[in-house]
Amino acid sequence: GQQLNQSPQSMFIQEGEDVSMNCTSSSIFNTWLWYKQDPGEGPVLLIALYKAGELTSNGRLTAQFGITRKDSFLNISASIPSDVGIYFCAGGVQGAQKLVFGQGTRLTINP
Amino acid sequence: NAGVTQTPKFQVLKTGQSMTLQCAQDMNHNSMYWYRQDPGMGLRLIYYSASEGTTDKGEVPNGYNVSRLNKREFSLRLESAAPSQTSVYFCASSGPGQALHSNQPQHFGDGTRLSIL
């Protein structure tokens, strides 16, 4: 089946630093989604990407839909303590009615 | 704005007991999903329902059954719980797009934390 490789698995950074994470796949996706999960809660959608090459921002977050449609990137600028959590990428294929999720990137911020 | 509501939030079962996890959404979404989340394994799809009246197996369906009771509600049943089913279970919904437009983002509930002794 389709799989997403999300990296890094964990990150330990200082407050104020920029963060980059990515997801790659051997398969083509028509949709890329990025979610954040806080402890004890369900994942919350951050950014949705629907077109190859698309670059979309949501505040300090920026995500890109790779031109090959096999990857996506999420960047967080000037990290703050509330950015702590697990970030998931998810890919969708038109007609499949399902999403494939990456294994997550756990972000820890040292004050 | 309730979104996706899951009940219960926590449950402890003994091996062999049965239980139904409830999920309801108020967003008029066509599609609903059940996932389990285990440490280091991300979200794995158990079952999904593309529309009212249909259900399909996901990646890890063994040991589970589902019922799409109506458009709003999608329940997950463990007939004979096993310790390997200890996990956090998430329900999600997406839509209201047509079935072929499958790329609508999924919206998640806050999860049910299930422990099986």
Side-chain angles (χ1 to χ4, degrees):
Chain A
Q2 294 173 310
Q3 290 185 329
L4 292 182
N5 297 312
Q6 187 170 350
S7 66
Q9 291 187 341
S10 60
M11 301 183 73
F12 298 85
I13 64 169
Q14 298 293 325
E15 183 177 350
E17 289 185 7
D18 296 342
V19 173
S20 293
M21 60 189 78
N22 68 82
C23 270
T24 61
S25 174
S26 58
S27 303
I28 290 175
F29 289 99
N30 299 105
T31 301
W32 283 97
L33 306 171
W34 285 93
Y35 288 85
K36 183 195 177 202
Q37 185 178 25
D38 291 325
E41 300 183 9
V44 174
L45 182 69
L46 298 173
I47 294 177
L49 303 161
Y50 296 105
K51 186 178 179 181
E54 180 180 357
L55 185 71
T56 298
S57 293
N58 178 6
R60 293 176 296 104
L61 278 63
T62 301
Q64 184 162 23
F65 192 140
I67 196 71
T68 65
R69 293 198 282 162
K70 293 183 179 181
D71 56 11
S72 180
F73 305 86
L74 176 69
N75 295 317
I76 305 172
S77 62
S79 60
I80 59 177
S82 62
D83 291 334
V84 166
I86 303 176
Y87 292 80
F88 290 99
C89 63
V93 176
Q94 189 170 358
Q97 207 64 36
K98 295 183 289 185
L99 294 175
V100 179
F101 281 84
Q103 293 181 330
T105 294
R106 182 180 296 274
L107 179 63
T108 302
I109 297 175
N110 298 318
Chain B
N1 291 338
V4 178
T5 302
Q6 292 183 236
T7 56
K9 294 189 183 303
F10 303 93
Q11 185 70 49
V12 179
L13 295 177
K14 294 181 180 178
T15 297
Q17 287 186 317
S18 61
M19 178 175 183
T20 299
L21 279 61
Q22 306 287 352
C23 175
Q25 53 92 8
D26 62 3
M27 296 174 282
N28 198 34
H29 285 169
N30 287 333
S31 302
M32 298 186 73
Y33 309 82
W34 275 105
Y35 293 89
R36 62 177 288 173
Q37 185 177 34
D38 301 295
M41 302 194 72
L43 291 159
R44 293 186 291 170
L45 184 64
I46 304 171
Y47 271 93
Y48 67 103
S49 171
S51 60
E52 187 178 356
T54 69
T55 61
D56 287 284
K57 294 179 180 179
E59 181 184 356
V60 288
N62 291 344
Y64 305 95
N65 287 300
V66 291
S67 295
R68 184 73 182 268
L69 304 170
N70 47 57
K71 190 171 186 179
R72 291 187 63 249
E73 299 173 287
F74 189 38
S75 63
L76 178 72
R77 183 162 178 83
L78 286 69
E79 289 291 352
S80 179
S84 61
Q85 294 178 304
T86 293
S87 188
V88 182
Y89 291 85
F90 287 101
C91 177
S93 69
S94 67
Q98 296 298 314
L100 286 179
H101 297 285
S102 63
N103 299 323
Q104 300 287 339
Q106 293 179 16
H107 300 265
F108 287 81
D110 283 336
T112 294
R113 283 144 189 82
L114 183 61
S115 294
I116 299 162
L117 307 177

mmCIF file of all heavy atoms in Angstrom, chain A residues 52-104:
data_model
loop_
_atom_site.group_PDB
_atom_site.id
_atom_site.type_symbol
_atom_site.label_atom_id
_atom_site.label_comp_id
_atom_site.label_asym_id
_atom_site.label_seq_id
_atom_site.Cartn_x
_atom_site.Cartn_y
_atom_site.Cartn_z
ATOM 1 N N ALA A 52 0.043 20.874 -7.429
ATOM 2 C CA ALA A 52 1.491 20.721 -7.460
ATOM 3 C C ALA A 52 2.161 22.082 -7.570
ATOM 4 O O ALA A 52 1.756 22.920 -8.383
ATOM 5 C CB ALA A 52 1.893 19.827 -8.627
ATOM 6 N N GLY A 53 3.191 22.283 -6.725
ATOM 7 C CA GLY A 53 3.902 23.552 -6.713
ATOM 8 C C GLY A 53 3.289 24.597 -5.814
ATOM 9 O O GLY A 53 3.914 25.633 -5.549
ATOM 10 N N GLU A 54 2.100 24.332 -5.293
ATOM 11 C CA GLU A 54 1.399 25.320 -4.460
ATOM 12 C C GLU A 54 2.167 25.598 -3.177
ATOM 13 O O GLU A 54 2.692 24.694 -2.547
ATOM 14 C CB GLU A 54 -0.001 24.784 -4.136
ATOM 15 C CG GLU A 54 -0.857 25.699 -3.287
ATOM 16 C CD GLU A 54 -2.228 25.095 -2.999
ATOM 17 O OE1 GLU A 54 -2.523 23.989 -3.506
ATOM 18 O OE2 GLU A 54 -3.012 25.725 -2.263
ATOM 19 N N LEU A 55 2.237 26.878 -2.829
ATOM 20 C CA LEU A 55 2.872 27.320 -1.590
ATOM 21 C C LEU A 55 1.818 28.082 -0.801
ATOM 22 O O LEU A 55 1.263 29.066 -1.291
ATOM 23 C CB LEU A 55 4.064 28.226 -1.904
ATOM 24 C CG LEU A 55 4.933 28.682 -0.720
ATOM 25 C CD1 LEU A 55 5.735 27.524 -0.174
ATOM 26 C CD2 LEU A 55 5.858 29.811 -1.158
ATOM 27 N N THR A 56 1.510 27.622 0.410
ATOM 28 C CA THR A 56 0.444 28.228 1.202
ATOM 29 C C THR A 56 0.933 28.536 2.606
ATOM 30 O O THR A 56 1.643 27.731 3.206
ATOM 31 C CB THR A 56 -0.766 27.267 1.273
ATOM 32 O OG1 THR A 56 -1.261 27.049 -0.046
ATOM 33 C CG2 THR A 56 -1.882 27.857 2.119
ATOM 34 N N SER A 57 0.535 29.679 3.113
ATOM 35 C CA SER A 57 0.933 30.092 4.461
ATOM 36 C C SER A 57 -0.270 30.207 5.376
ATOM 37 O O SER A 57 -1.382 30.517 4.935
ATOM 38 C CB SER A 57 1.668 31.424 4.416
ATOM 39 O OG SER A 57 2.899 31.293 3.754
ATOM 40 N N ASN A 58 -0.015 29.968 6.654
ATOM 41 C CA ASN A 58 -1.011 30.139 7.706
ATOM 42 C C ASN A 58 -0.260 30.725 8.897
ATOM 43 O O ASN A 58 0.310 30.004 9.716
ATOM 44 C CB ASN A 58 -1.649 28.793 8.054
ATOM 45 C CG ASN A 58 -2.658 28.916 9.179
ATOM 46 O OD1 ASN A 58 -2.961 30.021 9.636
ATOM 47 N ND2 ASN A 58 -3.184 27.790 9.619
ATOM 48 N N GLY A 59 -0.213 32.050 8.970
ATOM 49 C CA GLY A 59 0.570 32.703 10.008
ATOM 50 C C GLY A 59 2.054 32.420 9.828
ATOM 51 O O GLY A 59 2.618 32.684 8.764
ATOM 52 N N ARG A 60 2.669 31.838 10.856
ATOM 53 C CA ARG A 60 4.108 31.542 10.776
ATOM 54 C C ARG A 60 4.384 30.217 10.081
ATOM 55 O O ARG A 60 5.543 29.802 9.954
ATOM 56 C CB ARG A 60 4.693 31.521 12.190
ATOM 57 C CG ARG A 60 4.701 32.874 12.897
ATOM 58 C CD ARG A 60 5.220 32.767 14.340
ATOM 59 N NE ARG A 60 4.322 31.933 15.150
ATOM 60 C CZ ARG A 60 4.595 30.700 15.504
ATOM 61 N NH1 ARG A 60 5.738 30.116 15.145
ATOM 62 N NH2 ARG A 60 3.732 30.012 16.231
ATOM 63 N N LEU A 61 3.358 29.534 9.650
ATOM 64 C CA LEU A 61 3.503 28.246 8.987
ATOM 65 C C LEU A 61 3.412 28.409 7.479
ATOM 66 O O LEU A 61 2.556 29.149 6.981
ATOM 67 C CB LEU A 61 2.402 27.284 9.443
ATOM 68 C CG LEU A 61 2.595 26.536 10.759
ATOM 69 C CD1 LEU A 61 2.673 27.486 11.942
ATOM 70 C CD2 LEU A 61 1.469 25.535 10.962
ATOM 71 N N THR A 62 4.285 27.703 6.776
ATOM 72 C CA THR A 62 4.260 27.685 5.320
ATOM 73 C C THR A 62 4.439 26.249 4.859
ATOM 74 O O THR A 62 5.329 25.540 5.343
ATOM 75 C CB THR A 62 5.388 28.547 4.728
ATOM 76 O OG1 THR A 62 5.244 29.887 5.197
ATOM 77 C CG2 THR A 62 5.318 28.542 3.200
ATOM 78 N N ALA A 63 3.599 25.824 3.939
ATOM 79 C CA ALA A 63 3.697 24.468 3.409
ATOM 80 C C ALA A 63 3.729 24.515 1.893
ATOM 81 O O ALA A 63 3.159 25.428 1.271
ATOM 82 C CB ALA A 63 2.529 23.612 3.888
ATOM 83 N N GLN A 64 4.398 23.540 1.309
ATOM 84 C CA GLN A 64 4.495 23.470 -0.147
ATOM 85 C C GLN A 64 4.157 22.084 -0.639
ATOM 86 O O GLN A 64 4.535 21.074 -0.036
ATOM 87 C CB GLN A 64 5.898 23.857 -0.636
ATOM 88 C CG GLN A 64 6.004 23.882 -2.152
ATOM 89 C CD GLN A 64 7.192 24.661 -2.653
ATOM 90 O OE1 GLN A 64 8.173 24.840 -1.939
ATOM 91 N NE2 GLN A 64 7.114 25.141 -3.881
ATOM 92 N N PHE A 65 3.444 22.055 -1.748
ATOM 93 C CA PHE A 65 3.093 20.816 -2.455
ATOM 94 C C PHE A 65 4.194 20.608 -3.484
ATOM 95 O O PHE A 65 4.352 21.417 -4.396
ATOM 96 C CB PHE A 65 1.741 21.032 -3.138
ATOM 97 C CG PHE A 65 1.074 19.806 -3.691
ATOM 98 C CD1 PHE A 65 -0.286 19.656 -3.557
ATOM 99 C CD2 PHE A 65 1.778 18.825 -4.376
ATOM 100 C CE1 PHE A 65 -0.941 18.552 -4.095
ATOM 101 C CE2 PHE A 65 1.142 17.717 -4.894
ATOM 102 C CZ PHE A 65 -0.217 17.590 -4.758
ATOM 103 N N GLY A 66 4.982 19.546 -3.345
ATOM 104 C CA GLY A 66 6.107 19.339 -4.226
ATOM 105 C C GLY A 66 5.708 19.226 -5.689
ATOM 106 O O GLY A 66 4.639 18.695 -6.007
ATOM 107 N N ILE A 67 6.566 19.702 -6.562
ATOM 108 C CA ILE A 67 6.250 19.732 -7.983
ATOM 109 C C ILE A 67 6.086 18.334 -8.570
ATOM 110 O O ILE A 67 5.354 18.135 -9.548
ATOM 111 C CB ILE A 67 7.332 20.540 -8.755
ATOM 112 C CG1 ILE A 67 6.824 20.905 -10.136
ATOM 113 C CG2 ILE A 67 8.637 19.783 -8.796
ATOM 114 C CD1 ILE A 67 5.732 21.948 -10.116
ATOM 115 N N THR A 68 6.748 17.351 -7.989
ATOM 116 C CA THR A 68 6.609 15.972 -8.475
ATOM 117 C C THR A 68 5.336 15.299 -7.952
ATOM 118 O O THR A 68 4.993 14.200 -8.381
ATOM 119 C CB THR A 68 7.804 15.112 -8.043
ATOM 120 O OG1 THR A 68 7.787 15.001 -6.616
ATOM 121 C CG2 THR A 68 9.122 15.722 -8.503
ATOM 122 N N ARG A 69 4.652 15.953 -7.007
ATOM 123 C CA ARG A 69 3.466 15.455 -6.305
ATOM 124 C C ARG A 69 3.776 14.274 -5.397
ATOM 125 O O ARG A 69 2.864 13.611 -4.894
ATOM 126 C CB ARG A 69 2.344 15.088 -7.291
ATOM 127 C CG ARG A 69 1.779 16.296 -8.002
ATOM 128 C CD ARG A 69 0.443 16.008 -8.619
ATOM 129 N NE ARG A 69 0.543 15.256 -9.859
ATOM 130 C CZ ARG A 69 -0.455 14.588 -10.410
ATOM 131 N NH1 ARG A 69 -1.624 14.543 -9.821
ATOM 132 N NH2 ARG A 69 -0.281 13.948 -11.545
ATOM 133 N N LYS A 70 5.064 14.042 -5.147
ATOM 134 C CA LYS A 70 5.455 12.943 -4.278
ATOM 135 C C LYS A 70 6.000 13.427 -2.941
ATOM 136 O O LYS A 70 6.455 12.622 -2.127
ATOM 137 C CB LYS A 70 6.513 12.078 -4.974
ATOM 138 C CG LYS A 70 5.990 11.334 -6.193
ATOM 139 C CD LYS A 70 7.076 10.457 -6.784
ATOM 140 C CE LYS A 70 6.546 9.684 -7.995
ATOM 141 N NZ LYS A 70 7.601 8.798 -8.571
ATOM 142 N N ASP A 71 5.974 14.738 -2.720
ATOM 143 C CA ASP A 71 6.470 15.222 -1.444
ATOM 144 C C ASP A 71 5.831 16.548 -1.051
ATOM 145 O O ASP A 71 5.212 17.232 -1.874
ATOM 146 C CB ASP A 71 7.996 15.344 -1.459
ATOM 147 C CG ASP A 71 8.502 16.230 -2.589
ATOM 148 O OD1 ASP A 71 7.686 16.919 -3.236
ATOM 149 O OD2 ASP A 71 9.721 16.237 -2.818
ATOM 150 N N SER A 72 6.006 16.875 0.220
ATOM 151 C CA SER A 72 5.490 18.134 0.746
ATOM 152 C C SER A 72 6.362 18.563 1.912
ATOM 153 O O SER A 72 6.986 17.725 2.573
ATOM 154 C CB SER A 72 4.038 17.977 1.204
ATOM 155 O OG SER A 72 3.533 19.193 1.702
ATOM 156 N N PHE A 73 6.399 19.873 2.134
ATOM 157 C CA PHE A 73 7.259 20.435 3.165
ATOM 158 C C PHE A 73 6.450 21.373 4.050
ATOM 159 O O PHE A 73 5.544 22.053 3.575
ATOM 160 C CB PHE A 73 8.408 21.220 2.526
ATOM 161 C CG PHE A 73 9.201 20.425 1.542
ATOM 162 C CD1 PHE A 73 8.793 20.329 0.210
ATOM 163 C CD2 PHE A 73 10.339 19.759 1.938
ATOM 164 C CE1 PHE A 73 9.516 19.578 -0.703
ATOM 165 C CE2 PHE A 73 11.065 19.010 1.025
ATOM 166 C CZ PHE A 73 10.659 18.918 -0.295
ATOM 167 N N LEU A 74 6.806 21.395 5.334
ATOM 168 C CA LEU A 74 6.194 22.345 6.264
ATOM 169 C C LEU A 74 7.309 23.093 6.970
ATOM 170 O O LEU A 74 8.234 22.471 7.497
ATOM 171 C CB LEU A 74 5.323 21.624 7.293
ATOM 172 C CG LEU A 74 4.718 22.520 8.375
ATOM 173 C CD1 LEU A 74 3.652 23.442 7.782
ATOM 174 C CD2 LEU A 74 4.105 21.692 9.505
ATOM 175 N N ASN A 75 7.213 24.400 6.972
ATOM 176 C CA ASN A 75 8.164 25.236 7.685
ATOM 177 C C ASN A 75 7.433 26.058 8.731
ATOM 178 O O ASN A 75 6.332 26.554 8.484
ATOM 179 C CB ASN A 75 8.897 26.168 6.721
ATOM 180 C CG ASN A 75 9.757 25.406 5.741
ATOM 181 O OD1 ASN A 75 10.458 24.460 6.098
ATOM 182 N ND2 ASN A 75 9.698 25.802 4.478
ATOM 183 N N ILE A 76 8.055 26.195 9.897
ATOM 184 C CA ILE A 76 7.538 27.046 10.961
ATOM 185 C C ILE A 76 8.611 28.078 11.251
ATOM 186 O O ILE A 76 9.766 27.723 11.531
ATOM 187 C CB ILE A 76 7.228 26.251 12.237
ATOM 188 C CG1 ILE A 76 6.269 25.100 11.935
ATOM 189 C CG2 ILE A 76 6.623 27.169 13.309
ATOM 190 C CD1 ILE A 76 6.065 24.153 13.121
ATOM 191 N N SER A 77 8.267 29.331 11.177
ATOM 192 C CA SER A 77 9.254 30.369 11.440
ATOM 193 C C SER A 77 9.116 30.881 12.866
ATOM 194 O O SER A 77 8.026 30.919 13.435
ATOM 195 C CB SER A 77 9.079 31.531 10.453
ATOM 196 O OG SER A 77 7.806 32.120 10.624
ATOM 197 N N ALA A 78 10.252 31.253 13.449
ATOM 198 C CA ALA A 78 10.304 31.872 14.777
ATOM 199 C C ALA A 78 9.445 31.109 15.785
ATOM 200 O O ALA A 78 8.453 31.623 16.305
ATOM 201 C CB ALA A 78 9.865 33.322 14.681
ATOM 202 N N SER A 79 9.830 29.872 16.055
ATOM 203 C CA SER A 79 9.028 28.987 16.895
ATOM 204 C C SER A 79 8.767 29.586 18.283
ATOM 205 O O SER A 79 9.592 30.321 18.841
ATOM 206 C CB SER A 79 9.730 27.640 17.031
ATOM 207 O OG SER A 79 11.003 27.810 17.613
ATOM 208 N N ILE A 80 7.586 29.251 18.798
ATOM 209 C CA ILE A 80 7.177 29.680 20.137
ATOM 210 C C ILE A 80 6.731 28.441 20.927
ATOM 211 O O ILE A 80 6.475 27.393 20.324
ATOM 212 C CB ILE A 80 6.042 30.727 20.058
ATOM 213 C CG1 ILE A 80 4.823 30.139 19.334
ATOM 214 C CG2 ILE A 80 6.528 31.991 19.356
ATOM 215 C CD1 ILE A 80 3.636 31.091 19.274
ATOM 216 N N PRO A 81 6.621 28.537 22.230
ATOM 217 C CA PRO A 81 6.298 27.354 23.040
ATOM 218 C C PRO A 81 5.030 26.625 22.621
ATOM 219 O O PRO A 81 4.969 25.394 22.701
ATOM 220 C CB PRO A 81 6.190 27.928 24.453
ATOM 221 C CG PRO A 81 7.143 29.079 24.456
ATOM 222 C CD PRO A 81 7.006 29.699 23.092
ATOM 223 N N SER A 82 4.030 27.339 22.157
ATOM 224 C CA SER A 82 2.770 26.678 21.786
ATOM 225 C C SER A 82 2.878 25.877 20.485
ATOM 226 O O SER A 82 1.939 25.172 20.117
ATOM 227 C CB SER A 82 1.645 27.706 21.663
ATOM 228 O OG SER A 82 1.940 28.634 20.639
ATOM 229 N N ASP A 83 4.028 25.943 19.819
ATOM 230 C CA ASP A 83 4.231 25.119 18.622
ATOM 231 C C ASP A 83 4.550 23.676 18.982
ATOM 232 O O ASP A 83 4.548 22.799 18.117
ATOM 233 C CB ASP A 83 5.380 25.674 17.769
ATOM 234 C CG ASP A 83 5.039 26.992 17.118
ATOM 235 O OD1 ASP A 83 3.841 27.258 16.881
ATOM 236 O OD2 ASP A 83 5.975 27.775 16.837
ATOM 237 N N VAL A 84 4.803 23.412 20.252
ATOM 238 C CA VAL A 84 5.103 22.047 20.704
ATOM 239 C C VAL A 84 3.945 21.122 20.361
ATOM 240 O O VAL A 84 2.781 21.466 20.551
ATOM 241 C CB VAL A 84 5.375 22.032 22.217
ATOM 242 C CG1 VAL A 84 5.355 20.620 22.762
ATOM 243 C CG2 VAL A 84 6.707 22.700 22.516
ATOM 244 N N GLY A 85 4.274 19.940 19.867
ATOM 245 C CA GLY A 85 3.246 18.964 19.537
ATOM 246 C C GLY A 85 3.768 17.991 18.512
ATOM 247 O O GLY A 85 4.961 17.939 18.216
ATOM 248 N N ILE A 86 2.853 17.227 17.952
ATOM 249 C CA ILE A 86 3.202 16.289 16.892
ATOM 250 C C ILE A 86 2.572 16.780 15.596
ATOM 251 O O ILE A 86 1.376 17.081 15.553
ATOM 252 C CB ILE A 86 2.698 14.861 17.209
ATOM 253 C CG1 ILE A 86 3.252 14.385 18.538
ATOM 254 C CG2 ILE A 86 3.114 13.904 16.088
ATOM 255 C CD1 ILE A 86 2.730 13.020 18.962
ATOM 256 N N TYR A 87 3.360 16.846 14.561
ATOM 257 C CA TYR A 87 2.902 17.308 13.255
ATOM 258 C C TYR A 87 2.801 16.109 12.319
ATOM 259 O O TYR A 87 3.731 15.308 12.216
ATOM 260 C CB TYR A 87 3.873 18.347 12.684
ATOM 261 C CG TYR A 87 3.843 19.636 13.468
ATOM 262 C CD1 TYR A 87 4.546 19.754 14.667
ATOM 263 C CD2 TYR A 87 3.104 20.731 13.027
ATOM 264 C CE1 TYR A 87 4.499 20.925 15.405
ATOM 265 C CE2 TYR A 87 3.057 21.912 13.755
ATOM 266 C CZ TYR A 87 3.760 21.998 14.948
ATOM 267 O OH TYR A 87 3.708 23.163 15.678
ATOM 268 N N PHE A 88 1.661 15.990 11.669
ATOM 269 C CA PHE A 88 1.423 14.890 10.735
ATOM 270 C C PHE A 88 1.196 15.440 9.331
ATOM 271 O O PHE A 88 0.479 16.419 9.151
ATOM 272 C CB PHE A 88 0.177 14.096 11.123
ATOM 273 C CG PHE A 88 0.310 13.278 12.364
ATOM 274 C CD1 PHE A 88 -0.191 13.740 13.567
ATOM 275 C CD2 PHE A 88 0.922 12.044 12.328
ATOM 276 C CE1 PHE A 88 -0.077 12.984 14.724
ATOM 277 C CE2 PHE A 88 1.030 11.274 13.473
ATOM 278 C CZ PHE A 88 0.541 11.753 14.676
ATOM 279 N N CYS A 89 1.774 14.766 8.367
ATOM 280 C CA CYS A 89 1.392 15.009 6.988
ATOM 281 C C CYS A 89 0.405 13.929 6.575
ATOM 282 O O CYS A 89 0.375 12.840 7.171
ATOM 283 C CB CYS A 89 2.597 14.988 6.062
ATOM 284 S SG CYS A 89 3.453 13.399 6.003
ATOM 285 N N ALA A 90 -0.407 14.229 5.588
ATOM 286 C CA ALA A 90 -1.351 13.246 5.053
ATOM 287 C C ALA A 90 -1.506 13.500 3.561
ATOM 288 O O ALA A 90 -1.569 14.651 3.126
ATOM 289 C CB ALA A 90 -2.697 13.341 5.749
ATOM 290 N N GLY A 91 -1.548 12.420 2.803
ATOM 291 C CA GLY A 91 -1.719 12.527 1.366
ATOM 292 C C GLY A 91 -3.032 11.909 0.931
ATOM 293 O O GLY A 91 -3.466 10.895 1.492
ATOM 294 N N GLY A 92 -3.654 12.524 -0.055
ATOM 295 C CA GLY A 92 -4.920 12.022 -0.574
ATOM 296 C C GLY A 92 -4.838 11.790 -2.068
ATOM 297 O O GLY A 92 -4.180 12.544 -2.788
ATOM 298 N N VAL A 93 -5.486 10.735 -2.493
ATOM 299 C CA VAL A 93 -5.572 10.402 -3.910
ATOM 300 C C VAL A 93 -7.016 10.550 -4.341
ATOM 301 O O VAL A 93 -7.916 10.005 -3.700
ATOM 302 C CB VAL A 93 -5.095 8.971 -4.187
ATOM 303 C CG1 VAL A 93 -5.276 8.620 -5.661
ATOM 304 C CG2 VAL A 93 -3.647 8.801 -3.765
ATOM 305 N N GLN A 94 -7.263 11.270 -5.416
ATOM 306 C CA GLN A 94 -8.635 11.506 -5.859
ATOM 307 C C GLN A 94 -9.330 10.201 -6.138
ATOM 308 O O GLN A 94 -8.778 9.323 -6.815
ATOM 309 C CB GLN A 94 -8.632 12.385 -7.109
ATOM 310 C CG GLN A 94 -10.023 12.859 -7.508
ATOM 311 C CD GLN A 94 -9.968 13.904 -8.594
ATOM 312 O OE1 GLN A 94 -8.894 14.291 -9.023
ATOM 313 N NE2 GLN A 94 -11.111 14.351 -9.053
ATOM 314 N N GLY A 95 -10.532 10.068 -5.583
ATOM 315 C CA GLY A 95 -11.323 8.868 -5.791
ATOM 316 C C GLY A 95 -11.102 7.796 -4.756
ATOM 317 O O GLY A 95 -11.892 6.862 -4.660
ATOM 318 N N ALA A 96 -10.027 7.925 -3.963
ATOM 319 C CA ALA A 96 -9.714 6.873 -2.994
ATOM 320 C C ALA A 96 -10.513 7.003 -1.707
ATOM 321 O O ALA A 96 -10.652 6.041 -0.979
ATOM 322 C CB ALA A 96 -8.220 6.883 -2.680
ATOM 323 N N GLN A 97 -11.027 8.205 -1.425
ATOM 324 C CA GLN A 97 -11.845 8.439 -0.229
ATOM 325 C C GLN A 97 -11.096 8.143 1.055
ATOM 326 O O GLN A 97 -11.698 7.926 2.097
ATOM 327 C CB GLN A 97 -13.131 7.597 -0.296
ATOM 328 C CG GLN A 97 -14.281 8.192 0.483
ATOM 329 C CD GLN A 97 -14.740 9.512 -0.063
ATOM 330 O OE1 GLN A 97 -14.744 9.723 -1.271
ATOM 331 N NE2 GLN A 97 -15.111 10.448 0.786
ATOM 332 N N LYS A 98 -9.777 8.091 1.014
ATOM 333 C CA LYS A 98 -8.990 7.850 2.202
ATOM 334 C C LYS A 98 -7.765 8.736 2.168
ATOM 335 O O LYS A 98 -7.352 9.216 1.124
ATOM 336 C CB LYS A 98 -8.524 6.377 2.263
ATOM 337 C CG LYS A 98 -9.621 5.362 2.406
ATOM 338 C CD LYS A 98 -9.043 3.968 2.525
ATOM 339 C CE LYS A 98 -8.456 3.507 1.222
ATOM 340 N NZ LYS A 98 -7.987 2.087 1.311
ATOM 341 N N LEU A 99 -7.205 8.952 3.358
ATOM 342 C CA LEU A 99 -5.924 9.642 3.462
ATOM 343 C C LEU A 99 -4.866 8.669 3.964
ATOM 344 O O LEU A 99 -5.172 7.743 4.721
ATOM 345 C CB LEU A 99 -6.018 10.816 4.447
ATOM 346 C CG LEU A 99 -6.915 11.984 4.069
ATOM 347 C CD1 LEU A 99 -6.964 12.991 5.223
ATOM 348 C CD2 LEU A 99 -6.420 12.658 2.797
ATOM 349 N N VAL A 100 -3.637 8.905 3.552
ATOM 350 C CA VAL A 100 -2.493 8.168 4.074
ATOM 351 C C VAL A 100 -1.720 9.124 4.962
ATOM 352 O O VAL A 100 -1.389 10.235 4.530
ATOM 353 C CB VAL A 100 -1.598 7.654 2.933
ATOM 354 C CG1 VAL A 100 -0.393 6.917 3.502
ATOM 355 C CG2 VAL A 100 -2.396 6.750 2.001
ATOM 356 N N PHE A 101 -1.437 8.710 6.195
ATOM 357 C CA PHE A 101 -0.772 9.587 7.153
ATOM 358 C C PHE A 101 0.689 9.198 7.317
ATOM 359 O O PHE A 101 1.044 8.010 7.306
ATOM 360 C CB PHE A 101 -1.454 9.513 8.520
ATOM 361 C CG PHE A 101 -2.709 10.325 8.606
ATOM 362 C CD1 PHE A 101 -3.920 9.804 8.159
ATOM 363 C CD2 PHE A 101 -2.692 11.619 9.111
ATOM 364 C CE1 PHE A 101 -5.080 10.547 8.212
ATOM 365 C CE2 PHE A 101 -3.849 12.374 9.171
ATOM 366 C CZ PHE A 101 -5.042 11.833 8.721
ATOM 367 N N GLY A 102 1.530 10.223 7.508
ATOM 368 C CA GLY A 102 2.895 9.986 7.927
ATOM 369 C C GLY A 102 2.925 9.606 9.403
ATOM 370 O O GLY A 102 1.910 9.680 10.097
ATOM 371 N N GLN A 103 4.094 9.227 9.881
ATOM 372 C CA GLN A 103 4.208 8.757 11.262
ATOM 373 C C GLN A 103 4.356 9.894 12.259
ATOM 374 O O GLN A 103 4.355 9.666 13.465
ATOM 375 C CB GLN A 103 5.377 7.782 11.384
ATOM 376 C CG GLN A 103 5.129 6.486 10.622
ATOM 377 C CD GLN A 103 6.276 5.511 10.772
ATOM 378 O OE1 GLN A 103 7.413 5.910 10.939
ATOM 379 N NE2 GLN A 103 5.980 4.234 10.696
ATOM 380 N N GLY A 104 4.498 11.110 11.771
ATOM 381 C CA GLY A 104 4.532 12.255 12.669
ATOM 382 C C GLY A 104 5.933 12.742 12.985
ATOM 383 O O GLY A 104 6.894 11.974 12.997
#
